[in-house]
Amino acid sequence: MGKFSPNLSTLYQMSEEHVIIIGNGISGITLARHVRKLSSKRITVVSNESNHFFSRTALMYIYMGHMKFEHTKPYEDWFWDKNKIELVNGKVIAVNTNHKCVILENSDELKYDKLVIATGSKPNKFGWPGENLKGVQGLYHLQDLESLEKTAQNNEVCKRAVIIGGGLIGIELAEMLTSRNIPVTFLVRETSFWNHVLPLQESEMLNNHIANNNIDLRLGANLKEIKGGENGSVKSIVIKETDEEIPCNLVGLTAGVSPNVAFIESTDIETNKGVLVSRFLETNIPDVFAIGDCAELRNSKEGRSNIEAMWHTGRIMGETLAQTICGQKVEYEPGHWFNSAKFLKIEYQTYGWVSAVPIGTHQHFQWKNPNEDKCITLEYNKDTLEFIGINTFGIRMRHDIFDTWLTEKRDVNYVIHNLPKANFDPEFYQRYENDILAKYNKQLSTLNT
Amino acid sequence: MKDSTEISLSLARPDGTLSSKLKVALTLGCVGLLLLVLALFNIGLSSQGGLLIVAISLISIGVFLYANGLYINKQDGIKNNGVWFKSISSRGTIGWVTGVVLTTFYVVLYFYPKLLGLGIDGQPNSGLVALFDPLSSLLNGNDASQWFVYGTLYTLAILLFGYKFILKYRGNRYQQFRTFSVMLFQLGFAFLIPEFMARLNSNSFTIPSYDLKNMWPLSYDYFDQYSVDEFIQAGNIGLALLIFGVLSIFVISPILTYKYGKRWYCSWVCGCGGLAETAGDSFRQLSSKKLSSWKVERWLVHIVLVFSILMTTAVVGTYLGDDATAYWLTRKVFLIFVAAVLTLVFTLTMVFKRQELGKDARYGAIGFFVVILSLFALYTFGGSSDLLFISSGTLRSAYGFYIGSIFSGVIGTGFYPILGNRVWCRYGCPMAAVLGFQQRLFSKFRITTNGGQCISCGNCSTYCEMGIDVRAYAQKGENIVRSSCVGCGVCAAVCPRGVLKLENGSLEGRINSRDILLGNNMDVTKFAENKSE
Ligand SMILES: Cc1cc2nc3c(=O)[nH]c(=O)nc-3n(C[C@H](O)[C@H](O)[C@H](O)COP(=O)(O)OP(=O)(O)OC[C@H]3O[C@@H](n4cnc5c(N)ncnc54)[C@H](O)[C@@H]3O)c2cc1C
Ligand code: SF4
């Protein structure tokens, strides 16, 4: 008889829906945690990267020796068992939406009731000659860090590294390599660092800061080709504009990321760059959803992009979809934009929207400390004075205060006068609000006369 | 099941070679230490004063140059590169050797001071202790004791490594100010002033040499008979000091803790904290962040607190009389008074803070009743000074041995390179338990989390010396209100996204658990609050 009388807990689990999540990054894991909070559904998370969720954003700190891999895991290993979240280490190679199952590389099949694709991104490659040589790599997965450990263990193995692409990951890679005294050449396509996102004042401050950290920053420089040596390893790169050849042992490709959805393309789940989803994060196939870096909204909220490869976006999508999966259908509704980053030593936070160059009725108010790497830019509407957003470098500010001000549609006057309330720097730090206010008043009076 | 990558990544070692500047500095410091070791074997003692000056100068110059070599030409910012690659700071061979050496030193210091050269029974000092005789007589007029040697080296360590810390945290005034503060308190209050006080003593006037910032229950001998006698014999000044001591723990400290959290003591004033924050700074990342460690911590530290309260009560009981006509404060009055105060605290907590305590309330209740029962036993059966048939003298010496020496000294400091720099503060200090209790329930202090900005990187948790999993709160957008937090502020410093801020705010909304972080405006009308985590 025994064989036919499953114990109670299996029975119970069998009667529950099975939610399969592909990807154990922030989006997949947030979803799993919230589904668990809201229900007793069976949850399985599949990933081929690591057994347990770790923080991708902390990869750089492992290489720099600030942390070990274990420190980047936000939950202890017993957490998953305790919360009945099943973890499968494997790679999904196909999805059969008719039979509602996913197929793993080792040919295991897992049946789902609800499927969530949360497979994140992969580093961009643009078909550069030599981009598949040994020693050419991106920085995204844990495995990238492992190969970096080999190629760039120290400055004897790696005499020089060249980084292609001046974004947030590029600057992190530059900082990492510099921490091991590896000389870095940093090719940036733009004429000033990140100037398609940042106003000139800030972008130029970063140019200087990068150069001051002994990084050979090449602005307005594109990659022409990567040359290989005899054993298939990279030997040098050539810059398109000048034909200059730079010998190197490592080439870091950090020219952006794109959704990691290759294995979906053979299925009837619709994709463009990413997996196409509605505002409810549903794909074209019932019971199949996508969240995080790999999801592409068919029509995003005004002012937001369809793909946002960001930690917070993944988290918010996970929180949202958990509601829908647990029976309360809600729309993905991100609040006011916010983000933060660190450029070597300079911290950056942003709340609301600040464009590189204000257009239409929008205008910038800017302040910069003459001696230190600290500056802010406020964007506002010059007709209504409505506050649109703020970039702050070297001064920490409060998320909740700005979120409230944006919701209340405060004007720029109010924001400047109440800036002390938003300060989030540690105690005893020098304060700059008076200085900022003085500059603002001065600018105002010159405007009025 | 280990993650495979965990193993391969931990194998990586970048070249660990030191620059020549650092090598010179290290050599100088080691030669200085070597001179002290030689003195231990009575080598080179012919000119004590000279040798001491040379040894201390070499050590100081060594640390000074080393700190400069590390940090002086660097920009502001976090300097944790390679922490987990260095043997000393990642429980490598050098770390373990240092741990063993330190532990041995403490065992000798506490239990075999003769080995350090302490002259017993009127014999003159020799060895290391004798080396410090000239300095001791300069300061207090007497020959050195092993405690003088220890005190000097301790103060030196706080000053030198404090300098290093201040350089390391250039650009962070909170870190600099509090380090400067512990350096000052150690040098002035713990080291110089007590020595000078001892110097004031004459036949007609004695004053106990006394560190004003010391407080019961950390200074567990504060209310010992000999200590109280000393105060009382010193006349008005002594009495004032005694009253100050009582006020510090019962009035001044609660007020300061209410306003600023326990950090005002633990990371601005305290000598144990001072050493941990300066000389121990390189080891902060070694503290365990496991939930299981937290459980151990809470049991241990509160058991020590209960032990110290009972011990002190019993000890004070021994020298209070039974005759109410002789002096109003009899043993029984005292016991009733202690029981009443504890009951008051317990009742108020249960009435007003039960919700906040949650499950802990049960443990608190158990602890409280153990204490009350013991006091009751002391009251009824204690014609002598027994507490359940154990004499208060035995209690007192057991406390001094196990807690005062083994826990706070040998383990607390000797194990820095193994268990992190706040082992004592976290698992053993009764003072930390008292202040922490208040910080958790009745203080304006908290670490505020900045909305939804956390990226779960883990720097904050890794560098928390008290083993608090700061990230667990930050990634939920929840403020950190923990009894163990000493407010060192390093989590806020190392956070790369500006997520944490130590502040004193209103009690309202101090604890702000939320399930959906800031940045998500989804419309959930009936969001179920079901915490299974
Ligand atoms: C170095 C670095 C620094 C960053 N810093 C920041 C920052 O400061 N702030 C910020 O907002 N964002 C940052 N980001 C971006 C942020 O990390 C990503 O947006 C976020 O991790 C995406 O989460 P996700 O859950 O969508 O996907 P991922 O974290 O990529 O998780 C997807 C998982 O799915 C697995 N997977 C993919 N395909 C399959 C398959 N077929 N079968 C099984 N498993 C599969 C992947 O291996 C991966 O483990 C950073 C990214 C990097 C690389
Ligand atoms: S609070 Fe800061 S340091 Fe801590 S995990 Fe979050 S981002 Fe990292």
Side-chain angles (χ1 to χ4, degrees), chain B residues 169-212:
Chain B
Y169 280 96
R170 220 163 22 153
N172 188 328
R173 289 211 209 152
Y174 180 76
Q175 297 303 334
Q176 298 188 319
F177 286 4
R178 76 179 176 84
T179 306
F180 191 68
S181 167
V182 288
M183 288 163 75
L184 207 69
F185 274 104
Q186 177 62 32
L187 180 65
F189 286 64
F191 186 64
L192 292 180
I193 295 178
E195 300 300 339
F196 293 150
M197 280 164 116
R199 188 140 250 233
L200 293 177
N201 288 348
S202 65
N203 288 340
S204 56
F205 178 78
T206 55
I207 183 170
S209 63
Y210 167 53
D211 177 355
L212 281 168

Side-chain angles (χ1 to χ4, degrees), chain B residues 28-82:
Chain B
L28 287 178
C30 287
V31 171
L33 279 177
L34 189 71
L35 290 182
L36 294 185
V37 175
L38 289 180
L40 204 55
F41 301 105
N42 291 311
I43 301 174
L45 270 187
S46 48
S47 78
Q48 294 163 344
L51 188 64
L52 182 64
I53 293 176
V54 173
I56 289 190
S57 308
L58 282 176
I59 294 175
S60 307
I61 294 171
V63 178
F64 182 76
L65 290 181
Y66 195 82
N68 285 355
L70 278 179
Y71 304 127
I72 203 124
N73 290 324
K74 299 246 173 83
Q75 304 166 3
D76 298 356
I78 296 309
K79 316 252 178 353
N80 285 336
N81 285 349

Side-chain angles (χ1 to χ4, degrees), chain A residues 220-234:
Chain A
N222 281 280
L223 177 67
K224 182 177 180 189
E225 69 173 308
I226 306 171
K227 289 188 173 171
E230 54 263 32
N231 53 0
S233 297
V234 51

Side-chain angles (χ1 to χ4, degrees), chain B residues 314-394:
Chain B
V315 165
V316 171
T318 53
Y319 59 81
L320 291 175
D322 279 322
D323 183 4
T325 55
Y327 188 55
W328 64 270
L329 186 60
T330 62
R331 200 170 60 82
K332 296 205 165 178
V333 172
F334 176 69
L335 289 179
I336 293 170
F337 174 72
V338 172
V341 169
L342 289 175
T343 310
L344 186 71
V345 171
F346 178 75
T347 320
L348 288 178
T349 312
M350 283 299 154
V351 171
F352 293 109
K353 299 285 175 176
R354 210 191 155 84
Q355 295 307 321
E356 284 185 28
L357 277 174
K359 266 195 253 167
D360 295 349
R362 216 174 45 217
Y363 299 115
I366 297 173
F368 170 72
F369 284 113
V370 169
V371 179
I372 291 295
L373 279 180
S374 319
L375 288 176
F376 181 73
L378 208 57
Y379 183 87
T380 16
F381 306 115
S384 61
S385 58
D386 291 2
L387 173 64
L388 298 178
F389 315 111
I390 307 171
S391 83
S392 60
T394 316

Side-chain angles (χ1 to χ4, degrees), chain B residues 478-501:
Chain B
E478 189 179 328
N479 292 345
I480 295 105
V481 179
R482 278 278 291 268
S483 49
S484 61
C485 175
V486 292
C488 72
V490 167
C491 58
V494 298
C495 173
R497 294 293 179 272
V499 179
L500 305 163
K501 176 171 165 66

